[in-house]
Amino acid sequence: MTDNARSHTSPTPPVTLLGAGAMGSALARAWLAAGHPVTVWNRTPARAEALAAEGAAVAASAAEAVAAGRLVVVCLLDDASVGEALADADLTGRDLVDLTTGTPAQGRARAAWATERGARFLDAGIMAVPPMIGKPDSGAYVFYSGSPELFEEHRATLAVPAGARYVGADPGFAALHDVALLSAMSGMFAGVLHAFALIRREDIAPTDFAPLLVSWLTAMAQLAHQTAEQLESGDYGKDVVSNLAMQAAGNVTLLRTAEEQGVSAELLTPYTELMDRWLAAGHGDEDTAGMVELLTGEAS
Ligand code: NDP
């Protein structure tokens, strides 16, 4: 049976995997555990050899691995390493799925690059860490974007290591969704660090404080739905929950408390200064949704 025929007919089609780092190895183990034949290549052979003991076939080169099967999954450090690793591989007729973290522009450029070489292409963004991979209840999932045909054909295989969420034919969209969520997380962790700094010199145990922090952030995160509705309607004054004038007044208390506690406000001030600018522009009776316009340059 040819590779292509097997991809179409087998419930556990073969997977070629380039990259046996922490994430690549976790992916390989999930496919092996589900009964998929896995051919793996890694620049440093020892990491691929470790997977051979668990049933993977080890290819001597990336080109050899690519030749082994139709579905080729790449999980390397960055986009440059993908170009380097695949430089000599014949991608004709291959379905290339790139789980390497990159930017939207890199995803689009890599899609054009793969198409020129005769491959169908999906870019991806992994919303998980390696221990969550292959565990259906972990909440792990992967954003995919690019060829809808490729996604439909390999959906079941792609869903083995983590949930598979297709976010559009634009190959840049998986990275955009991935990075947007990571960026939101970055702001959240900045706030978490500041909160722990505020209590640090007091008789408050961080482990007692953490549950309060988590439940507060979980409750407040729901307000993102309200922000989304205001952004979609363009009416930033619709169903206002906490108007900007009140929030800006509250910021004075946040900044004064940081000073009282001897804590740097450097993680807070970029956000409070943006709020002050939007307030000065006359948006005191709105929520904060419109501040997106300051970030995009639609307003100054
Ligand atoms: P590791 O550092 O564990 O592995 C990096 C992999 O890239 C190794 O296989 C390494 O090979 C390979 N590599 C690096 N440079 C090159 C190159 N120039 N040519 C060929 N291969 C190269 O990283 P992870 O496995 O953790 O991450 C892989 C991808 O998964 C990254 O894009 C990362 O952002 C993403 N990811 C990782 C998460 C995590 O928590 N680990 C979470 C979500 C996404 P070698 O062994 O020879 O060094």
Side-chain angles (χ1 to χ4, degrees):
M1 193 185 286
T2 64
D3 290 342
N4 285 2
R6 179 157 189 181
S7 295
H8 284 294
T9 56
S10 168
T12 53
V15 181
T16 283
L17 179 69
L18 306 184
M23 185 55 85
S25 297
L27 296 167
R29 289 193 173 100
W31 276 308
L32 287 168
H36 291 260
V38 173
T39 300
V40 67
W41 170 83
N42 195 63
R43 182 182 59 176
T44 305
R47 288 174 111 171
E49 295 300 341
L51 293 166
E54 298 172 48
V58 176
S61 66
E64 185 186 308
V66 168
R70 179 166 167 182
L71 178 60
V72 177
V73 177
V74 190
C75 187
L76 299 173
L77 185 65
D78 55 16
D79 183 63
S81 48
V82 174
E84 222 172 281
L86 287 172
D88 300 327
D90 179 4
L91 294 178
T92 314
R94 290 296 177 255
D95 287 336
L96 186 63
V97 179
D98 189 356
L99 282 96
T100 306
T101 302
T103 69
Q106 284 173 334
R108 289 174 186 136
R110 190 57 66 196
W113 176 94
T115 305
E116 271 169 29
R117 284 160 181 75
R120 295 192 295 188
F121 182 82
L122 272 183
D123 199 32
I126 305 172
M127 304 314 299
V129 291
M132 295 164 74
I133 299 297
K135 304 205 173 71
D137 297 332
S138 69
Y141 69 88
V142 178
F143 287 122
Y144 292 97
S145 66
S147 164
E149 296 82 14
L150 193 172
F151 182 74
E152 279 313 317
E153 194 172 319
H154 297 288
R155 179 197 281 259
T157 302
L158 295 175
V160 166
R165 293 191 187 190
Y166 183 74
V167 287
D170 182 332
F173 271 21
L176 185 57
H177 282 73
D178 179 7
V179 174
L181 293 192
L182 293 177
S183 301
M185 181 183 76
S186 166
M188 181 187 76
F189 282 132
V192 166
L193 283 183
H194 184 82
F196 278 121
L198 288 178
I199 65 157
R200 185 164 176 83
R201 295 195 185 89
E202 310 291 349
D203 187 18
I204 303 171
T207 48
D208 289 340
F209 186 69
L212 304 174
L213 201 48
V214 170
S215 60
W216 175 247
L217 291 176
T218 304
M220 289 300 102
Q222 299 305 315
L223 289 172
H225 294 297
Q226 169 90 357
T227 304
E229 278 163 25
Q230 290 175 341
L231 288 170
E232 259 179 37
S233 70
D235 180 358
Y236 306 141
K238 183 171 175 270
D239 303 325
V240 172
V241 175
S242 307
N243 74 55
L244 182 65
M246 182 280 289
Q247 292 196 53
N251 285 344
V252 174
T253 304
L254 302 195
L255 295 172
R256 190 174 295 165
T257 303
E259 201 177 337
E260 285 175 11
Q261 295 300 108
V263 167
S264 163
E266 64 196 298
L267 292 174
L268 289 187
T269 46
Y271 188 49
T272 60
E273 285 169 7
L274 203 71
M275 286 166 100
D276 289 343
R277 273 171 63 197
W278 199 233
L279 183 67
H283 300 279
D285 55 353
E286 300 173 359
D287 271 329
T288 52
M291 288 164 57
V292 163
E293 293 190 12
L294 289 176
L295 297 174
T296 57
E298 292 160 81
S300 55

